[in-house]
Amino acid sequence: MTIQGPIRPQPFSRIGKPTPRIDGAAKVTGRALYPSDESVPHAAHAFLVTSPIARGRVAGFDLGDARAVPGFLDFLCHENVGGQAKPPKQMAGGETTTTMESDRIWHDGQIIGVVLADSFEAAREAAFKVRIQTEAEPPSATFGSAGTTEEQREDEQKEDFAVGDAEMALAAAPVMLDAWYETPTQHHNAIELFTTTCAWNGRQLTIWEPSQFVYGLRGNVAQQLGIEPADIRVVSKFVGGAFGSKGGATARTAWIAIAARRLGRPVKLVATRDQGFTIATYRAETRHHLRLGANGEGRLTAVSHEGWEVTSRPSFYNVSGTETTARMYAAPNILTRVAVVHADRNTPGFMRAPPEQPYMFPLECAMDELAARLGIDPIELRRRNEPARDPVTGLAFSGRHLMTCFDRGAAEFGWNRRNAQPASMRDGDWLVGLGCAASTYTANIAASTARVTLRPDGQAQVRLAGHDIGTGAYTVVAITAADRLGLPVGQVTVEMGDTEYPPAALAAGSSHTASITHAVVRACDALLAQIATAATASNAGAFAGREPATLSLRDGHLVAPDDSSESLADAVGRISAGAVEAYAENVPDGMPADAIGKLYQGQLPILRGQKRVDMTAYSFGAQFVEVRIHARTREIRVPRMLGAFSAGTILNPTTARSQLMGGMIWGLGSALLEKTEIDQRAARYTNDNIAEYHIAVNADVRRVDVMMLPEPDGAVNPLGIKGIGELGIVGVNAAVANAVFHATGQRVRRLPIRIEDLL
Ligand code: MOS
């Protein structure tokens, strides 16, 4: 049953109580099955053969030694299966590179063959014994390499802005800040590797693969193989970290499906850590030209932000964070532009806060630089530029509490102890610096569906093809259903991550909690409507002849406003001795009605929040960082971080805190440690392992405080959820760079900031 129209407020809501993860015990006891853990009888093992060059063609393979490995079964490449799959559809940015469809090599580490064998060890050994002949051409690695091409971004999903006349305003500005910034290549490096297991049963294909969008993966593979989505099932019950890297379909899945079809037995692939750098997506390096014009009081007269991003040859994938730049501060003149630079690289993709993480870095550093130039406190500078309405569209903000975040955060952090003079604070051998920056992220929501059942004994079950990528999604679904059905959380079981269940929107863009919980609420309300209608239509019982819409569920009972009540055993049992079931769809206001049809097809959903015409909806935060830099060695430590966030309804403070803290810690690693190094001549990633790709570890992370400010926002969506998946990471890089400046007087505009930058 589909019920649209307003979602009624829940009269007995207990949302917002700290709740431990309902899947926690399963995870720590090993009962939680990640996709490659699923036991698939008689599976063969695959090992990928990847390109040793970045540009050219495959001239042939010598398989003599590989075939001699005991257990070797088969070798797939463009010669024998190339015509059997089309490249996956990019979720954004047009065409992507091909893999085994032809002999063409687009990038180093591209999949060019698949070895199949009886064991993983045999497959690996045989793969290393495949001799690859190539015809190489000189590759282009990155910005500034010979042979790259640059074009202005063209993308229907993204916008750039020209408000007023920024060039003229900049030329006339009493104070102008003009600077260039750089962010590096980065890879997600989730602990769980990229895996795919495929099994055919006649025409039916089952895929076990970690995914942020199981219906999307199903639709994409169906299109690649030319089969019906309904003939594919995707299972992804648990995901060991994704951060965007498991959001889109990549090439490997279809090849493993083809391998399983050819062999007539299931095939399992667990790609290696280094292969993950090139067979999946990553955060591309960016460059920025930032110009701020201001008057003597620090009021912005112009903001200009031009960005450059690297992508692959055929794709114009870009993240374009300039949409957020244009909305941050009250400037009457705004100019933004983004260009993509094509190189011989794999196609980049979503990585936590794809636009804001790289684009807020220059903006928030530039604001800090402007504050220092004007002798104004950086928080005060932001206050003077706080816009009353969206500076681009003139729309009202749906809750904009940036300054509340700064003020509450500053008080807690002890900002008033900061001496504004750079390099003025010292503790023994350590130079002390305090820095801050703003965070923000679009409040997104997408269409989604859910099915809920309730038994007379008060056990409820929620099923939807949602995704818990480590965020606590199972738990927020249970909380939402328990709240709505008037049950303890322990009486709700949740099943997700399987296309056997009704479709849920993708777990990305900080949209998933808002998307799935609204569908769960609608399904629970549809269930209540059935129960209440039966109770009021009955000739017997407490509610005979009453109005069904006045009844609610509370504490295992159906109740009326006058507190008369009936047990669930009676109320549910009146309809069924088994279970009452309801299915519901939620299409957020203002979204096209075909959103649900597209969801079933596995098309990339439109996230409400982008191009919203009734209001501009963002979450906000303020990041504070203390750095200590050793006066002689320039070693950089971060003893203290604090983030104050305003993100609407927080369904579960326990998992929300963890999510925000995780984002902040990643922001720290991203500012000081993380960089994928590229061999310029070979266009090859050199530190493609987690020994040399540095991330923040325990010793790097000291005190991290998370403040979640209460923000009732009934306008953004009925439950007031703005999303927190990305908010925690945004701005941390700038806050660190600003703190480094404050400690040393040295302004570093290129990430990551390392000892050598401060010598
Ligand atoms: Mo997230 S980078 O939007 O999957």
Side-chain angles (χ1 to χ4, degrees):
M1 167 167 32
T2 302
I3 305 178
Q4 283 295 340
I7 286 177
R8 282 197 291 154
Q10 158 67 321
F12 316 112
S13 182
R14 286 169 293 184
I15 274 174
K17 286 203 324 193
T19 308
R21 288 169 196 268
I22 62 169
D23 51 337
K27 282 189 165 176
V28 298
T29 55
R31 279 185 288 117
L33 293 187
Y34 292 78
S36 69
D37 298 333
E38 300 271 1
S39 130
V40 179
H42 195 51
H45 293 263
F47 199 96
L48 300 176
V49 174
T50 57
S51 172
I53 63 166
R55 183 183 170 99
R57 58 176 290 271
V58 179
F61 296 98
D62 177 350
L63 299 174
D65 293 345
R67 287 188 190 285
V69 173
F72 175 91
L73 294 170
D74 200 357
F75 179 70
L76 277 57
C77 67
H78 67 278
E79 292 167 7
N80 55 9
V81 298
Q84 294 181 25
K86 285 187 273 198
K89 276 217 177 101
Q90 271 292 98
M91 295 222 299
E95 301 301 308
T96 188
T97 49
T98 53
T99 52
M100 296 177 2
E101 294 85 352
S102 77
D103 62 355
R104 173 90 189 257
I105 294 170
W106 298 91
H107 63 86
D108 179 73
Q110 172 185 315
I111 299 171
I112 56 172
V114 181
V115 170
L116 301 168
D118 278 326
S119 68
F120 173 78
E121 290 75 13
R124 180 177 56 186
E125 184 182 350
F128 284 123
K129 288 182 169 170
V130 172
R131 288 196 204 158
I132 307 160
Q133 286 110 34
T134 59
E135 284 168 14
E137 298 164 23
S140 313
T142 181
F143 292 127
S145 302
T148 54
T149 55
E150 177 180 323
E151 60 178 326
Q152 278 310 118
R153 163 173 66 47
E154 273 183 54
D155 189 338
E156 291 162 10
Q157 298 297 319
K158 305 276 186 180
E159 266 185 282
D160 267 310
F161 304 104
V163 178
D165 188 336
E167 293 295 350
M168 201 186 289
L170 285 164
V175 183
M176 179 160 63
L177 190 114
D178 182 331
W180 288 77
Y181 301 84
E182 289 178 36
T183 67
T185 318
Q186 297 180 333
H187 281 78
H188 314 76
N189 278 303
I191 289 300
E192 182 194 33
L193 298 168
F194 295 102
T195 79
T196 300
T197 305
C198 288
W200 292 85
N201 180 4
R203 284 190 358 218
Q204 305 284 321
L205 169 64
T206 303
I207 302 168
W208 292 267
E209 178 174 313
S211 173
Q212 294 170 252
F213 189 24
V214 289
Y215 270 74
L217 183 58
R218 178 174 94 154
N220 216 316
V221 173
Q223 181 265 335
Q224 288 183 264
L225 298 179
I227 64 178
E228 286 301 313
D231 287 333
I232 301 178
R233 177 182 178 191
V234 175
V235 183
S236 173
K237 302 269 182 195
F238 292 94
V239 179
F243 315 116
S245 69
K246 292 160 184 166
T250 56
R252 73 182 191 275
T253 315
W255 298 124
I256 299 305
I258 288 165
R261 193 166 60 192
R262 237 171 107 86
L263 277 189
R265 67 190 262 203
V267 172
K268 179 179 281 194
L269 168 76
V270 178
T272 59
R273 174 67 57 187
D274 62 313
Q275 290 172 343
F277 277 70
T278 59
I279 66 166
T281 63
Y282 61 100
R283 195 194 297 284
E285 57 272 36
T286 66
R287 286 183 177 175
H288 306 264
H289 185 205
L290 216 295
R291 289 175 297 167
L292 301 178
N295 67 18
E297 286 79 53
R299 288 186 213 288
L300 291 170
T301 55
V303 173
S304 166
H305 189 167
E306 297 160 273
W308 286 260
E309 306 178 23
V310 163
T311 185
S312 65
R313 287 290 177 190
S315 172
F316 53 91
Y317 179 86
N318 59 86
V319 299
S320 291
T322 48
E323 293 190 23
T324 300
T325 296
R327 299 196 153 93
M328 274 310 283
Y329 300 114
N333 301 286
I334 300 167
L335 178 70
T336 71
R337 265 198 291 260
V338 175
V340 294
V341 172
H342 298 278
D344 298 302
R345 295 272 298 282
N346 48 324
T347 304
F350 306 141
M351 185 161 152
R352 201 172 197 172
E356 285 76 9
Q357 215 273 1
Y359 279 76
M360 285 286 278
F361 171 67
L363 179 65
E364 291 303 291
C365 286
M367 287 297 280
D368 199 73
E369 296 192 47
L370 184 63
R373 180 92 61 90
L374 291 163
I376 298 174
D377 180 88
I379 298 175
E380 177 58 25
L381 180 69
R382 290 176 174 87
R383 194 184 319 280
R384 291 182 192 179
N385 290 290
E386 185 61 9
R389 305 180 80 81
D390 182 326
V392 174
T393 59
L395 291 171
F397 280 99
S398 176
R400 182 180 166 114
H401 302 285
L402 176 64
M403 292 321 299
T404 315
C405 293
F406 269 113
D407 291 340
R408 294 280 311 278
E412 193 71 22
F413 189 71
W415 186 255
N416 59 1
R417 295 201 294 272
R418 177 180 183 264
N419 180 334
Q421 183 64 32
S424 64
M425 294 174 68
R426 190 161 175 150
D427 181 3
D429 282 341
W430 296 88
L431 310 177
V432 178
L434 305 181
C436 68
S439 174
T440 189
Y441 200 81
T442 316
N444 282 321
I445 184 171
S448 214
T449 77
R451 188 184 305 282
V452 177
T453 62
L454 180 61
R455 298 199 317 228
D457 64 0
Q459 292 292 323
Q461 185 167 49
V462 189
R463 289 195 177 101
L464 67 161
H467 316 83
D468 196 323
I469 57 177
T471 47
Y474 278 113
T475 310
V476 295
V477 167
I479 290 170
T480 305
D483 191 62
R484 221 60 196 188
L485 298 175
L487 299 171
V489 171
Q491 278 171 233
V492 181
T493 56
V494 182
E495 294 194 46
M496 302 200 300
D498 190 333
T499 53
E500 296 287 284
Y501 307 142
L506 87 168
S510 299
S511 66
H512 195 243
T513 297
S515 305
I516 61 179
T517 55
H518 282 86
V520 169
V521 162
R522 286 206 184 277
C524 291
D525 288 357
L527 204 70
L528 167 63
Q530 287 182 53
I531 297 165
T533 302
T536 52
S538 164
N539 292 327
F543 306 117
R546 296 220 206 171
E547 179 55 43
T550 61
L551 306 186
S552 319
L553 291 164
R554 175 175 53 167
D555 299 334
H557 289 76
L558 184 65
V559 297
D562 65 4
D563 278 345
S564 54
S565 79
E566 182 179 72
S567 72
L568 281 186
D570 292 341
V572 176
R574 182 179 289 118
I575 305 174
S576 167
V580 187
E581 177 173 288
Y583 160 83
E585 302 168 346
N586 185 58
V587 180
D589 287 346
M591 269 205 173
D594 67 348
I596 295 290
K598 287 188 167 165
L599 187 60
Y600 271 91
Q601 289 301 313
Q603 294 179 30
L604 182 68
I606 301 163
L607 296 180
R608 175 106 166 112
Q610 296 162 350
K611 312 212 167 179
R612 204 167 167 149
V613 294
D614 56 340
M615 62 182 76
T616 296
Y618 280 80
S619 53
F620 290 93
Q623 307 277 12
F624 294 86
V625 170
E626 176 181 326
V627 301
R628 290 187 169 227
I629 294 167
H630 196 274
R632 284 184 297 279
T633 67
R634 313 309 269 183
E635 177 185 350
I636 310 166
R637 308 298 299 170
V638 176
R640 223 157 50 91
M641 308 172 74
L642 181 143
F645 303 102
S646 179
T649 302
I650 300 297
L651 285 155
N652 185 4
T654 305
T655 47
R657 178 173 176 278
S658 167
Q659 179 82 329
L660 290 163
M661 179 185 279
M664 291 170 68
I665 291 171
W666 197 355
L668 172 66
S670 184
L672 295 175
L673 301 162
E674 272 194 63
K675 180 185 183 188
T676 309
E677 303 284 353
I678 303 171
D679 178 334
Q680 301 284 322
R681 294 154 308 169
R684 176 181 302 145
Y685 304 132
T686 56
N687 55 338
D688 52 357
N689 56 75
I690 47 177
E692 294 168 296
Y693 183 95
H694 292 168
I695 59 170
V697 297
N698 280 5
D700 300 306
V701 181
R702 305 292 289 276
R703 181 164 176 183
V704 183
D705 289 320
V706 176
M707 298 171 72
M708 292 178 278
L709 308 182
E711 183 194 346
D713 184 341
V716 65
N717 52 50
L719 298 179
I721 297 168
K722 287 184 157 178
I724 53 167
E726 343 248 351
L727 189 63
I729 195 174
V730 178
V732 176
N733 47 17
V736 170
N738 297 341
V740 166
F741 171 76
H742 181 239
T744 63
Q746 285 168 275
R747 178 59 69 176
V748 183
R749 302 190 181 92
R750 185 185 60 211
L751 296 177
I753 300 171
R754 288 175 170 161
I755 288 172
E756 53 266 37
D757 295 311
L758 303 176
L759 289 172

